[in-house]
Amino acid sequence: MFWYLKFCCIIILLISWKINFAQELFPSTEPASAMSARSIGIRLNNQFYSSNTKFMNRSNAEVMWGINKKWMMHFDVSASNYHQPNLKMESGSWYIKYRFLSVDEVQSHFRIAAYTKAAISNNAFHQNDVSFNGDNTGFNSGFIITQLQHKFAASITTGFSQAFNNVGYKLHQSQTDKAFNCSISAGYLLFPFHYVNYRQPNFNIYFELIGKN
């Protein structure tokens, strides 16, 4: 049931995105391309699962701002009951991306961007992981490489994460506070075959491998 609902939410995101993102829209990672200049986007995400004792839920609301063709920002807040009995506001984060290389051709481009994400969380530590989706305070920085070729796009993201003490809670000596992140994402535009206007929905198939060490 969880994967079915997650799939439906992703499909809604795919068909509501701007046409110039098309197959570069990945659910879990960002491409090197930026949003359209002076545009604003809103993204809502929900994750949930059932444990032996209760129903666990986390919701994120994110505002995205395309400053210009090279710079974009995200602002995100989350609420969950992952680390306590009741739902509470748990974290906020700020993300900025700068595209510093772009080689554009007809129906293809190669782009590289640098990014940084900073997050603050007031959760207790219940897992030995570094995650800035609500669990940890800290930052993640790295690079994104994206290649678009007609209807196919592939992207590689590498980065380093550093976690600090959460608000009101200290990291234990045995807990991990550093991580190296790497992901590979690919997408293919299935429909439309030919664009008639900018109101047409986009349907994409995607594949992502997300790793952390």
Side-chain angles (χ1 to χ4, degrees):
M1 184 66 174
F2 166 72
W3 290 108
Y4 173 76
L5 290 174
K6 183 177 180 181
F7 175 79
C8 291
C9 292
I10 290 170
I11 289 297
I12 292 172
L13 286 172
L14 291 177
I15 65 176
S16 64
W17 201 255
K18 288 181 177 293
I19 193 171
N20 59 332
F21 272 73
Q23 61 271 47
E24 285 188 44
L25 172 61
F26 307 119
S28 301
T29 60
E30 284 281 331
S33 303
M35 292 175 60
S36 302
R38 298 177 298 279
S39 64
I40 295 177
I42 297 174
R43 182 158 54 194
L44 303 175
N45 182 51
N46 183 265
Q47 304 173 46
F48 59 87
Y49 67 93
S50 295
S51 69
N52 294 329
T53 58
K54 67 174 183 177
F55 179 78
M56 315 286 280
N57 179 75
R58 169 172 283 158
S59 298
N60 295 72
E62 186 173 14
V63 176
M64 302 170 288
W65 175 31
I67 303 172
N68 54 43
K69 66 179 182 179
K70 292 187 176 182
W71 288 92
M72 69 177 295
M73 287 187 184
H74 293 196
F75 301 94
D76 176 277
V77 294
S78 71
S80 83
N81 64 343
Y82 276 16
H83 301 278
Q84 66 285 323
N86 300 315
L87 187 72
K88 75 165 185 176
M89 295 297 298
E90 60 180 359
S91 75
S93 69
W94 169 78
Y95 174 97
I96 187 167
K97 180 173 65 179
Y98 173 66
R99 190 188 75 199
F100 60 86
L101 177 65
S102 183
V103 181
D104 297 336
E105 299 178 0
V106 178
Q107 292 189 327
S108 71
H109 61 238
F110 175 78
R111 294 173 177 174
I112 303 179
Y115 73 91
T116 293
K117 180 176 183 177
I120 185 169
S121 172
N122 60 11
N123 277 322
F125 295 104
H126 292 145
Q127 61 187 36
N128 190 24
D129 189 16
V130 180
S131 170
F132 300 127
N133 292 324
D135 300 305
N136 288 96
T137 296
F139 73 90
N140 170 246
S141 296
F143 297 93
I144 309 168
I145 302 173
T146 300
Q147 173 69 56
L148 172 71
Q149 191 66 43
H150 192 38
K151 294 186 177 184
F152 176 79
S155 189
I156 297 175
T157 301
T158 60
F160 172 77
S161 296
Q162 174 68 61
F164 303 115
N165 294 331
N166 283 357
V167 178
Y169 300 94
K170 290 186 177 181
L171 279 164
H172 306 303
Q173 292 183 350
S174 61
Q175 285 185 303
T176 300
D177 65 346
K178 297 178 178 64
F180 174 76
N181 310 281
C182 184
S183 65
I184 300 174
S185 306
Y188 186 81
L189 179 65
L190 296 176
F191 178 82
F193 300 111
H194 302 286
Y195 284 112
V196 177
N197 58 62
Y198 288 97
R199 296 181 179 274
Q200 291 177 271
N202 293 275
F203 292 90
N204 305 288
I205 186 171
Y206 68 89
F207 176 78
E208 293 191 281
L209 289 173
I210 301 171
K212 184 186 299 182
N213 186 33

